[in-house]
Amino acid sequence: MKKYDPKKIEKKWQEFWDKKKINKTDNKSDQPKYYILDMFPYPSGAGLHVGHPKGYIATDVVARMKMMQGYNVLHPMGWDAFGLPAENYAIANKVHPKVATYKNIATFKKQLGKIGFTYDWSREINTTDPEYYRWTQWTFLQMFQKGLAYESFEPVNWCPVDKTVLANEDLENGCCERCGSPVERRPMRQWVLRITKYADRMLNDLDKLPKWPEAIKEMQRNWIGRSEGAQIKFPLAEKDKFIEVFTTRPDTLFGVTYVVLAPENKLVDELKNKINNWPEVEKYLNEAKKKSDLERTELQKEKTGVKLDGVFVMHPITREKIPVWIADYVLASYGTGAVMAVPAHDERDYEFAKRYNLPIKEVIQPLVTREKGEDGFRRNIPVNERHAVVAVIKHWSEDKYLGVEWKKTGWKGFVIGGIENGEKAADAGVREIVEESGYKNVKFVRPLGGIVHAQFYQMVKNHNRLAHFEPALFQLEDGEMVETSDEEKNLHEFKWLKPEEFSSYITHPDMQIVWDRLQGNYCYGGNEKIDGFSLDGILTASSEFDGLAIAEAKEKIVAELEKNHLGKKQVNYKLRDWVFSRQRYWGEPIPIIHCDKCGVVAVPEKDLPVELPKVKNYEPTGTGESPLANIAKWVNVECPKCGGPAKRETNTMPQWAGSSWYYLRYIDPKNSKALVDKKLEKYWSPVDFYVGGAEHATRHLIYARFWHKFLFDIGVVNYEEPFTRLQNVGLIMAEDGRKMSKRWGNVINPDDVILKFGADSLRIYEMFMGPFSQAVAWSTNGIIGARRFLEKVWFMQEKLADSFEADKKLLNTLHQTIKKVSEDIEDMRFNTAIAKMMELANEMSKAEKVSKENFALFVQILAPFAPHFAEELWASLGHKKSIFTEAWPKFDPKLAVSETFTLAVQINGKIRDTIEVEAEISEAGVKELIMKSEKVQKWLEGKEPKKIIYVKGKLVSVVV
RNA sequence: GCCGCGAUGGCGGAAUUGGUAGACGCACACGACUCAAAAUCGUGCGGAGCAAUCCAUGAGAGUUCGAUUCUCUCUCGCGGCACCA
């Protein structure tokens, strides 16, 4: 028996697959198609580390199984090769980025080749190839013609180190995702894609993607951040001039006590000559401008702002005068860049109002409904209304408050007492405190805000109660008490609690609101659900809208505004339009020409691609122009419209451009007439399975879905969603638990692993490490197990025998394994698939001889994981053709079921015995059998079983 | 702060309509082979106990004949978002 020598075997079979074109994908087939895709890599100078191939191995395993199952499989690979690292390398080393990029690609390709993938390299694509980016530019022009690509002059994120503009998606905590420096806000001309026009479709279509991870969809929903509300106009003194605000809470309109503009809001400048304190305002504007986004968010605890002295708006309904402020807690980029401030019902406005002593006007009284539990509000039974005082009682000498627990219900809160007709809350409080608690010398201190409503089911009286609580603070003068009735004593339990203990003592949110007021917090948002309760509100101090609940008030108030053309319903998104230009060299040139006479003109389609010219210096200019601006020969062109002198756009596209549609180009990579041929697109689309890192959830996967929907709208593709099924790969961490990085010196190169253990061991190990989507640390020890497993299978060749009746148990395991491996590969549970094959190997290697047929079946299901290894064994079994042209084994359901099983016997829920029994044993048989067991008799202690529960094929439980 | 996910031996992990917790692999210990070592093979391997047995799936409670699995509360860890009005 020759040794298992992966080095020899792997090279041999890789060459064989090449020669026999095993991996070549035909565009025509009678078989069903299966398109499985990896997120293509950025070919960095560092080469691959062992983390990169994890996802590729997984798709390769699936691809190989699907091939064997009779699918026409498309499994391509390419390069996302534009981007900053290559450019920065070029700047440092004076090498053209193209040269460095192609060198890196060669390295990557060589490394990938060693792992034995099924990639069809005749379909390789490269986003930096002019024949590829011709179509990236072409799509941009289509967007431009549809008004989806436009020039904007708004302030944008500027990275001072990389000297380029960045999209929101390129930021991490207000810092450049690449270099980590804080970004500045700079008003600059730039190209922007109107992705917000697709926001609703992108949001709604997430529901059509059942095979995407729920977490990713949720991230996208949050990123899109749809919110429904109203746009409301607050008239300025000047006729037909307004401050327009966006709000999700038009119901709080009567609570507006001031209006705030973002410092960047253009109105500030327009109002300049009306502002009496301009120097002060200007100073604030300058300070705000200097602050980076990071500083702005870091300083979020302390809100700042300046009043625009002399400027007022009119309330759109009451016509009252309302002061106007500027403050940088209002974002210029969201909504209208202005808000109506309602300090009584918005945390941020509340904070600001407190700091600057602005009026706080309550217009929503809390309404707490108990939804769950015994005191849950019952629908359709009568409601009984009642006024009551909620008495917060302070200790006579210590800093403690009196907590009350209702013994029957477990409610914890304050002393509550009914207010009789004509009685004042203060008097009712004093009376109730004495009655309930016995404390005799009570003094009313002050009310704690307005009414809090609560609805719940009153168990004792058997009706719904709508309570109108009037919270108030009382103080005991001393500890003197009167005797309370026995009845009262049995109702409550009293406890003196420190303020910090009180919050967790309280069981109901209505009482929490009262407690918060004592702490000085009078802000109430409402419209929430918290476990078992729903928080709503009832309008007050809102003229004819008084008494309405929040939802109804929103409708009615917006309707009222609409009558006067001062407001309308409005939907806003957190998602911003996609800032699409970069002031750098190594990207697709934006195919636009600027003509003095004709303005912004599209490069005619026949002139595409607009190729990147050679430059001497790749250094970014820092002026907002790319290095391309310095090449007069390239920049100066004739206007395609009028023939006059014109200049090319010098900004380039972001790295995300090319990756937004690359999966389409694999279908038809060499087409010079179209982005993709329609027939081929129809055959291969959509991508059936897409595997890659979760870090792309709100970038690549948002952009690609947008790009695809646009291509759908212009008829290039025939499906609305590009990726039917999505799966995330978990990172492979270094052995020290950190990320693999040059910086830490903990990078493991797959080449070294392959040299020592072989590619098949690497493949098996990476699939065996743990659940596929979970991050795991690399373990060099761990890979030994994979190699040992292969060795074990290898040496089984020594005991192969021709047909004979194999052991039933072994056959049983074999067919169970075929079943499990097939299912597990489909569901990306590679680790358990391999574990099961290891069990099979352990069992088989213990047998004296193994039949060739059974061994062949094993080799076939192992083949997707260890393809070179399997081919070698397959050939030594006497086969001439590749194992991957063979049909995937089917398990025999009869053989997959065993004849006996181990019956577990429980007595009172604890396992007391196990008995090996026939699979088809009857329930009566089981009961009879277990009574014979000594152990059962011992635990029964002579008693009769109360109940016997039999779970077929598993266990029997005896209750004594 | 908000949203999502997770916590099981020395380690990676397994266990789905709630039914024998720790499959499989690594590490470790002992034995066989060997002059010796490596490799390989065999045995053991959650904790306590001589044993019967008891305890154990982040902590606490609940439902159940039976809970790693379901419900509630809490702690810790990871990921995302973060003044979005």
Side-chain angles (χ1 to χ4, degrees), chain A residues 642-713:
Chain A
C642 68
K647 285 183 189 303
R648 282 193 192 282
E649 170 67 54
T650 62
N651 280 341
T652 55
M653 299 185 194
Q655 194 185 353
W656 307 108
S659 59
S660 292
W661 66 280
Y662 71 108
Y663 54 92
L664 292 170
R665 193 62 179 175
Y666 286 132
I667 291 171
D668 191 12
K670 308 234 157 57
N671 194 333
S672 60
K673 302 256 164 17
L675 189 151
V676 59
D677 177 79
K678 281 211 164 134
K679 264 193 200 148
L680 292 180
E681 191 273 332
K682 193 147 197 190
Y683 175 66
W684 284 113
S685 272
V687 173
D688 296 287
F689 197 5
Y690 195 21
V691 176
E695 67 273 19
H696 290 112
T698 53
R699 292 183 190 160
H700 163 59
L701 288 171
I702 289 260
Y703 293 144
R705 290 184 63 224
F706 157 65
W707 202 279
H708 190 91
K709 282 182 190 306
F710 173 73
L711 291 176
F712 172 81
D713 288 351

Side-chain angles (χ1 to χ4, degrees), chain A residues 480-538:
Chain A
E480 240 180 87
M481 298 183 86
V482 295
E483 190 65 16
T484 54
S485 69
D486 283 350
E487 197 191 338
E488 284 290 350
K489 270 186 196 149
N490 291 332
L491 282 176
H492 312 110
E493 194 157 322
F494 295 93
K495 212 173 183 178
W496 287 104
L497 293 159
K498 291 183 204 151
E500 62 269 23
E501 296 167 336
F502 225 106
S503 217
S504 51
Y505 176 77
I506 292 168
T507 49
H508 289 57
D510 36 356
M511 295 301 119
Q512 189 67 47
I513 290 165
V514 173
W515 179 251
D516 286 348
R517 286 180 178 177
L518 181 75
Q519 304 304 301
N521 182 8
Y522 285 82
C523 183
Y524 175 74
N527 248 343
E528 261 187 272
K529 284 217 185 298
I530 42 178
D531 46 282
F533 302 90
S534 67
L535 269 55
D536 199 336
I538 292 172

Side-chain angles (χ1 to χ4, degrees), chain A residues 431-477:
Chain A
R431 177 171 51 72
E432 285 288 345
I433 291 166
V434 179
E435 273 174 34
E436 276 191 22
S437 72
Y439 289 107
K440 177 168 134 184
N441 300 317
V442 193
K443 194 175 70 183
F444 168 78
V445 182
R446 62 185 161 90
L448 292 168
I451 289 174
V452 176
H453 309 273
Q455 340 188 49
F456 52 92
Y457 176 70
Q458 231 291 356
M459 278 165 270
V460 184
K461 308 246 167 87
N462 188 28
H463 58 216
N464 277 322
R465 166 68 52 80
L466 170 55
H468 309 290
F469 291 129
E470 290 187 44
L473 177 64
F474 296 85
Q475 161 102 51
L476 296 182
E477 285 172 337

Side-chain angles (χ1 to χ4, degrees), chain A residues 275-306:
Chain A
I275 300 172
N276 299 334
N277 57 340
W278 179 250
E280 195 191 343
V281 171
E282 197 177 25
K283 195 176 150 223
Y284 184 80
L285 292 178
N286 286 333
E287 275 166 19
K289 213 181 283 174
K290 265 191 284 174
K291 280 192 217 167
S292 65
D293 263 21
L294 188 67
E295 286 170 302
R296 256 171 125 162
T297 42
E298 264 178 5
L299 293 171
Q300 64 178 272
K301 279 164 214 149
E302 279 287 286
K303 291 194 184 357
T304 61
V306 177

Side-chain angles (χ1 to χ4, degrees), chain A residues 139-159:
Chain A
T139 311
F140 177 88
L141 286 183
Q142 307 309 306
M143 290 188 183
F144 175 67
Q145 269 140 26
K146 294 267 181 315
L148 288 168
Y150 63 96
E151 278 183 293
S152 153
F153 300 84
E154 301 295 312
V156 286
N157 310 303
W158 170 262
C159 172

Side-chain angles (χ1 to χ4, degrees), chain A residues 243-473:
Chain A
I243 290 179
E244 244 183 300
V245 303
F246 172 74
T247 178
T248 56
R249 295 295 303 273
D251 53 306
T252 63
L253 186 60
F254 288 82
V256 175
T257 54
Y258 60 105
V259 163
V260 197
L261 299 177
E264 296 87 349
N265 194 310
K266 279 182 205 130
L267 272 174
V268 179
D269 208 50
E270 285 174 33
L271 294 166
K272 191 171 167 178
N273 49 19
K274 299 230 172 58
I275 300 172
N276 299 334
N277 57 340
W278 179 250
E280 195 191 343
V281 171
E282 197 177 25
K283 195 176 150 223
Y284 184 80
L285 292 178
N286 286 333
E287 275 166 19
K289 213 181 283 174
K290 265 191 284 174
K291 280 192 217 167
S292 65
D293 263 21
L294 188 67
E295 286 170 302
R296 256 171 125 162
T297 42
E298 264 178 5
L299 293 171
Q300 64 178 272
K301 279 164 214 149
E302 279 287 286
K303 291 194 184 357
T304 61
V306 177
K307 190 179 176 186
L308 300 184
D309 215 4
V311 179
F312 291 93
V313 287
M314 214 196 283
H315 190 281
I317 294 180
T318 67
R319 319 233 129 213
E320 272 171 84
K321 269 169 95 182
I322 295 172
V324 178
W325 287 64
I326 52 167
D328 66 3
Y329 80 88
V330 176
L331 302 176
S333 54
Y334 185 77
T336 59
V339 303
M340 59 179 225
V342 186
H345 307 292
D346 181 279
E347 290 283 351
R348 294 150 302 180
D349 299 337
Y350 183 69
E351 207 183 302
F352 190 79
K354 279 201 119 173
R355 169 152 186 184
Y356 291 99
N357 280 322
L358 295 160
I360 297 168
K361 187 180 164 197
E362 187 188 20
V363 290
I364 308 283
Q365 292 173 338
L367 169 61
V368 175
T369 306
R370 302 181 190 169
E371 299 284 6
K372 276 198 225 158
E374 281 179 43
D375 61 341
F377 187 72
R378 309 284 206 269
R379 311 288 155 184
N380 305 324
I381 70 167
V383 174
N384 170 284
E385 284 192 53
R386 195 165 170 148
H387 285 267
V389 60
V390 177
V392 181
I393 305 161
K394 193 163 192 289
H395 195 270
W396 57 94
S397 63
E398 292 173 70
D399 185 24
K400 281 185 176 171
Y401 294 86
L402 191 63
V404 182
E405 178 175 353
W406 275 258
K407 285 185 186 166
K408 250 192 198 151
T409 56
W411 301 348
K412 290 178 192 167
F414 307 98
V415 168
I416 294 176
I419 300 173
E420 306 297 328
N421 261 348
E423 194 181 21
K424 275 187 186 155
D427 303 330
V430 170
R431 177 171 51 72
E432 285 288 345
I433 291 166
V434 179
E435 273 174 34
E436 276 191 22
S437 72
Y439 289 107
K440 177 168 134 184
N441 300 317
V442 193
K443 194 175 70 183
F444 168 78
V445 182
R446 62 185 161 90
L448 292 168
I451 289 174
V452 176
H453 309 273
Q455 340 188 49
F456 52 92
Y457 176 70
Q458 231 291 356
M459 278 165 270
V460 184
K461 308 246 167 87
N462 188 28
H463 58 216
N464 277 322
R465 166 68 52 80
L466 170 55
H468 309 290
F469 291 129
E470 290 187 44
L473 177 64

Side-chain angles (χ1 to χ4, degrees), chain A residues 16-18 20-24 64 67 882 884-885:
Chain A
F16 175 86
W17 294 329
D18 248 15
K20 299 277 172 178
K21 297 196 159 61
I22 291 288
N23 300 330
K24 185 97 171 49
R64 286 181 186 274
M67 275 166 80
S882 164
F884 298 103
T885 59

